[in-house]
Amino acid sequence: MGYPRKPNFRMRLLGRTLRRLREQSRMTQEEVAARMRFSTAKMSRLEQGQLPNYHEFLAMLDLYGVLVSDYDEYVRMFDRARERGWWHAYGLDDKGFVSLEAEASEVRNYELGYIPGLLQTETYMRGSFVGARLPLPRDKLENEVAVRLRRQHRLTKEPLLMLHAIVDESVLWRPIPDAKGFRAQLRFLIERAQLPTITLQVVPRTVAAHPGRAGSFVILRFPVPDEPEIGYVEHGFGSFQTEKASEVRAARLTFQHLEGLALDQTDSLALIERVAGQI
């Protein structure tokens, strides 16, 4: 027996829609559970993004008083929630960052150790993966590179993803083994920063102490107003994501502080150009 899919953005959106319909019908979770012959625990899971089966879904719409003539909108939402994302073809599931980013409309990314993934060249990607503590098997490496390159499409293709990236200057001085490839990476940063979807800033090393020294992090914003922002941190032995309002707010304030400490984009690109000339 397989494990239930971890709710992704579309599944959570469906769950929030079911909760809204229930609240509009002035019914409690307990009342709906009793009418549907569900446990209250299952009702809670459904409203957090676990998918009902199709007949359960239609029965819930009927219970909530949705007119049959209005079903199409909700059925489309249900079908989209059931679809598996493009990343499954590369061996990834819905648990990681890729599925979150795929539905986001804006990413704010602070990096202390690497060039942001959305701004990496293929050479830099390969150099980073090869330098990992546990090198990836060849097929896994090729999939990781393919996924990262595909993620970058949204910076230029609809639905466009807005990226605000801030990097510590130390990232610019931490080359991969291929020096020529690293210079090309820095030139690539300058080129990509010309896109209207990208804002790029550098925190110069003259800023001695700053909150970004604690580590890299990402904040994702979604196109649906009611969908909470998500904070995401990747570390040496795993990753952590949160939509808890207080934690996301702390991340947002930290990013705003780093934005104020960083050079503006014009001066940041000039610094990258100088570093590229010295590598």
Side-chain angles (χ1 to χ4, degrees):
M1 180 180 297
Y3 292 98
R5 290 171 62 191
K6 182 180 179 67
N8 57 29
F9 171 82
R10 296 176 183 179
M11 296 163 75
R12 294 198 310 272
L13 180 60
L14 183 69
R16 295 184 203 282
T17 299
L18 289 174
R19 183 182 65 191
R20 175 175 55 79
L21 291 172
R22 174 181 59 77
E23 292 172 345
Q24 289 176 349
S25 68
R26 299 180 181 276
M27 300 180 72
T28 65
Q29 283 190 345
E30 292 75 16
E31 289 171 334
V32 175
R35 297 278 293 275
M36 292 291 300
R37 305 298 192 268
F38 291 162
S39 67
T40 53
K42 178 173 180 175
M43 272 300 303
S44 178
R45 291 194 299 271
L46 292 177
E47 293 188 356
Q48 292 176 40
Q50 178 179 300
L51 289 178
N53 66 46
Y54 183 64
H55 297 293
E56 289 172 341
F57 179 66
L58 294 183
M60 293 175 78
L61 294 183
D62 180 61
L63 181 59
Y64 295 153
V66 177
L67 299 176
V68 174
S69 58
D70 293 333
Y71 273 20
D72 285 354
E73 170 191 355
Y74 298 104
V75 170
R76 283 194 296 271
M77 187 180 296
F78 177 82
D79 288 340
R80 281 174 57 83
R82 291 180 66 245
E83 290 175 357
R84 289 193 174 273
W86 58 263
W87 48 90
H88 284 269
Y90 297 93
L92 301 180
D93 58 26
D94 291 322
K95 296 180 181 179
F97 179 78
V98 175
S99 65
L100 296 173
E101 184 189 78
E103 301 293 344
S105 56
E106 179 185 343
V107 170
R108 282 165 284 177
N109 184 188
Y110 169 73
E111 282 292 342
L112 180 62
Y114 295 94
I115 301 294
L118 289 172
L119 299 176
Q120 292 178 3
T121 64
E122 182 173 344
T123 300
Y124 184 92
M125 293 176 200
R126 292 183 181 278
S128 299
F129 287 132
V130 169
R133 182 174 60 87
L134 296 174
L136 297 174
R138 182 171 180 80
D139 58 341
K140 176 72 170 173
L141 171 63
E142 295 305 319
N143 280 346
E144 290 286 352
V145 170
V147 167
R148 193 162 293 184
L149 289 172
R150 180 159 177 175
R151 286 169 51 207
Q152 295 180 358
H153 291 177
R154 288 201 52 212
L155 296 172
T156 56
K157 298 179 181 178
E158 297 287 347
L160 290 173
L161 178 67
M162 305 301 294
L163 170 65
H164 187 168
I166 301 176
V167 300
D168 189 85
E169 185 182 345
S170 60
V171 172
L172 307 179
W173 295 97
R174 189 173 294 117
I176 55 175
D178 182 347
K180 182 178 179 181
F182 188 62
R183 283 194 296 273
Q185 169 65 81
L186 296 181
R187 304 287 185 194
F188 184 72
L189 284 179
I190 296 170
E191 173 191 324
R192 297 299 272 180
Q194 311 308 314
L195 292 173
T197 51
I198 295 174
T199 299
L200 176 61
Q201 293 181 264
V202 178
V203 179
R205 53 188 176 185
T206 52
V207 179
H210 61 79
R213 293 174 67 182
S216 308
F217 63 95
V218 180
I219 306 168
L220 301 108
R221 177 177 293 170
F222 299 91
V224 179
D226 292 338
E227 183 70 12
E229 293 182 333
I230 289 180
Y232 183 88
V233 175
E234 199 167 271
H235 48 78
F237 45 90
S239 61
F240 169 77
Q241 69 183 61
T242 180
E243 58 182 68
K244 187 175 180 181
S246 60
E247 294 173 341
V248 175
R249 180 175 182 273
R252 193 164 53 242
L253 290 174
T254 299
F255 192 88
Q256 290 172 355
H257 183 61
L258 290 168
E259 182 182 355
L261 294 175
L263 302 173
D264 64 22
Q265 178 152 303
T266 299
D267 289 341
S268 294
L269 297 184
L271 173 58
I272 295 171
E273 182 72 52
R274 289 197 299 274
V275 174
Q278 298 178 50
I279 294 295

